[in-house]
Amino acid sequence: MSTMGDGTRAVRAGLPEPEQFEPTLPGPVFAAHFHLSGEPTGPYTYGRDTNPTWTHLERAIGELEAPGEPVETTVFASGMAAISAVLLSQARTGDVVVLPDDGYQALPLVREQLEAYGVEVRTAPTGGDAQLAVLEGARLLWIETPSNPGLDVCDVRRLVEAAHSAGTLVAVDNTLATPLGQRPLELGADFSVASDTKGMTGHGDILLGHVTCRDPEPAAAVRRWRKVVGAIPGPMEAWLAHRSLATLELRIDRQCATALTLAEALGGRPEITGLRYPGLPTDPSYPLAVRQMRRFGSVVSFVLPDRERAERFLAGLRLVDDATSFGGVRSTAERRGRWGGDAVPEGFIRFSVGAEDPADLVADVERALDAAQGGN
């Protein structure tokens, strides 16, 4: 499938060989245990270890992450389970781990846990490849690009080269881009990690995550971690995720195109500052993003003058849900500062563009912005 287009690959990924009178995508397998006489040498023994529904999904994600290449994917109950599996399976007491200081809001919780285990954690911003300055002696470098919610981009190839030359492993959180927007393993990373709750499944109804590796050794450590902590997805969630992958290219292409249209429209609004979208030619990250990304994601961020203006804007939207996730077919937006964990202004908006008609969505946003301004 390495020469196929993204749409064909998404539709066909992970499907088993055809069998007469069987469905093309077998239904979810609900099983805590399997028939197991004699020596336990088969692929399916106990429901916390393996499940045929996971197998299909893991193959599918692997085909999207690294078409035509041998990789190992492990699926998890959530994105945080996947993130934790990499960090906590690789780091030991006395090791150094480098994290972004502008990444996903739950990373500080992971930092606290790592430090409790005696791991030294260093942080630096995503932009400007600032993590290079704190890389010396690190066991693992964690990259999040584009960063959430600020949408900064770093040079994955440059960071990987520096890390590998010093014996440091590299993991990339690819949640925002998805494998259709960016392939971290092709850029040299050791781990490609994502919360598939977001764009990969795209409907806002599944919690899921995954880790993909080329090297069997770290992949085995990640899989062992899943077994030890039991952070397994339910078979129904795994099956729904696989089904959802079939529309991945259709969804992502529509969402990315509309995100650019919205960003261009927002660029003409005088009340908006700090507009960020990596696919916008005027964005500071654009020159780097076009070198390592094939699509630029569905998230646009910007700042309104104050908290009150931001709240009025969100309340005035009719086609956009006020919700905290992103990557879904229905647009969502939120005033990110309400959580208190991100270093953003009170009027900072993270806007996730869905699959609505672009003209309808832009009109709704502009109407809500006009109404919010009139409230002053």
Side-chain angles (χ1 to χ4, degrees), residues 355-370:
E356 299 88 358
D357 284 293
D360 293 338
L361 186 63
V362 171
D364 188 44
V365 169
E366 292 189 327
R367 182 194 51 74
L369 285 170
D370 291 339

Side-chain angles (χ1 to χ4, degrees), residues 4 18 27 34 40 46-47 63 81 84 108 125 152 155 164 167 189 193 202 207 215 230 246 261-262 306 317 323 348:
M4 292 182 180
F34 301 82
Y46 184 64
E63 289 171 17
S84 300
D152 270 327
D155 189 333
H164 284 176
V193 190
L207 289 175
D215 189 334
T261 298
L262 177 62
D306 51 46
L317 292 166
F348 182 97

Side-chain angles (χ1 to χ4, degrees), residues 244-282:
S244 298
L245 289 181
T247 60
L248 180 61
E249 191 221 22
L250 297 173
R251 292 185 280 106
I252 295 298
D253 278 353
R254 175 63 170 259
Q255 291 169 256
C256 290
T258 305
L260 178 58
T261 298
L262 177 62
E264 290 170 342
L266 292 171
R269 303 284 308 203
E271 74 271 35
I272 284 176
T273 58
L275 174 65
R276 298 300 303 269
Y277 181 66
L280 194 65
T282 55

Side-chain angles (χ1 to χ4, degrees), residues 12-34:
R12 304 295 308 176
L15 297 182
E17 289 297 317
E19 291 189 32
Q20 186 77 341
F21 309 120
E22 293 295 323
T24 54
L25 177 61
V29 175
F30 298 97
H33 56 266
F34 301 82

Side-chain angles (χ1 to χ4, degrees), residues 86-93 95-97 114 119 139-140:
V86 173
L87 289 165
L88 296 172
S89 71
Q90 300 302 313
R92 302 288 184 271
T93 300
D95 284 344
V96 174
V97 169
L114 287 168
V119 176
R139 162 69 177 165
L140 177 69

Side-chain angles (χ1 to χ4, degrees), residues 42 60 125 322:
D322 194 339

